[in-house]
Amino acid sequence: MKRVFILICILLTTATATAQFGRQRQNRLGRQQPNPITDENRKVSMEKKAAERQEEYIINFLSILEADDFQKEIAKLTLNDYFAKVKELVKLDFENSAQRKDTFDALKEEHFKELKSLLSAKDNYELDKLLKGEFRENEIKKKKKKKRRKKKDKDDDN
């Protein structure tokens, strides 16, 4: 009788442990295959977010330029074209990092040559900061928030 009771207890304990931890073992061992449809959906949503982020980045950069609307539109088109070319270059394989850097530098020089001739010296300086990666978008966002607050305070006073 003792043996039967011990055997039943062992079976119940084993069944309970399997029920609680069985799925975790499957996930840890990688038996469950990821759903390729969700991976594609995730990729599409990430690309969409990146495109929106790129547009926001360009708009923030254009907000600091002192150019007229025509020059800003040309700058916007040039920047969109530049980012598309950069995406293509990133996909290419290079022999070494020096070759990759030289290719990107040549692209920057050639692609923005016409735009630099249209813009003023101050705007060219801002464009150079953007190309070097020194453009700080956070500062521009802070300035916009301050302007909104001042405008809101001014409207509240009236």
Side-chain angles (χ1 to χ4, degrees), residues 18-153:
T18 304
Q20 288 180 357
F21 302 111
R23 290 210 180 263
Q24 289 179 357
R25 286 189 191 129
Q26 283 180 349
N27 289 342
R28 245 185 292 151
L29 297 174
R31 291 182 185 166
Q32 200 173 19
Q33 295 293 327
N35 191 354
I37 295 173
T38 56
D39 290 343
E40 290 175 12
N41 290 342
R42 188 178 309 137
K43 184 178 179 181
V44 168
S45 67
M46 288 180 73
E47 288 176 357
K48 187 186 291 185
K49 286 180 184 178
E52 291 172 0
R53 179 70 185 102
Q54 177 183 330
E55 286 300 317
E56 181 183 342
Y57 187 78
I58 291 173
I59 289 171
N60 286 335
F61 174 71
L62 294 176
S63 68
I64 64 168
L65 294 182
E66 297 175 351
D68 61 358
D69 291 336
F70 178 73
Q71 290 173 333
K72 285 184 179 182
E73 188 64 32
I74 291 174
K76 182 178 180 180
L77 293 173
T78 305
L79 286 170
N80 281 327
D81 188 39
Y82 171 72
F83 286 127
K85 288 182 180 180
V86 166
K87 287 177 187 176
E88 291 175 12
L89 275 179
V90 167
K91 293 177 184 176
L92 295 177
D93 291 330
F94 290 96
E95 293 178 17
N96 53 32
S97 60
Q99 187 181 17
R100 178 182 295 269
K101 185 179 183 303
D102 292 341
T103 305
F104 277 104
D105 290 341
L107 174 67
K108 287 177 190 176
E109 282 293 320
E110 189 63 34
H111 193 75
F112 290 103
K113 196 179 286 186
E114 290 181 20
L115 183 61
K116 286 184 177 187
S117 66
L118 288 174
L119 299 176
S120 66
K122 184 178 179 185
D123 290 343
N124 279 331
Y125 174 73
E126 294 295 333
L127 182 63
D128 288 338
K129 280 177 53 177
L130 173 81
L131 295 177
K132 290 178 184 175
E134 298 171 358
F135 176 65
R136 300 290 173 231
E137 190 176 15
N138 294 336
E139 296 171 4
I140 295 168
K141 288 181 180 179
K142 287 179 185 178
K143 288 179 184 178
K144 285 182 180 180
K145 284 183 181 180
K146 284 183 182 179
K147 285 182 182 179
R148 282 188 215 136
R149 287 183 194 152
K150 286 181 183 178
K151 186 177 180 182
K152 186 177 180 181
D153 291 341

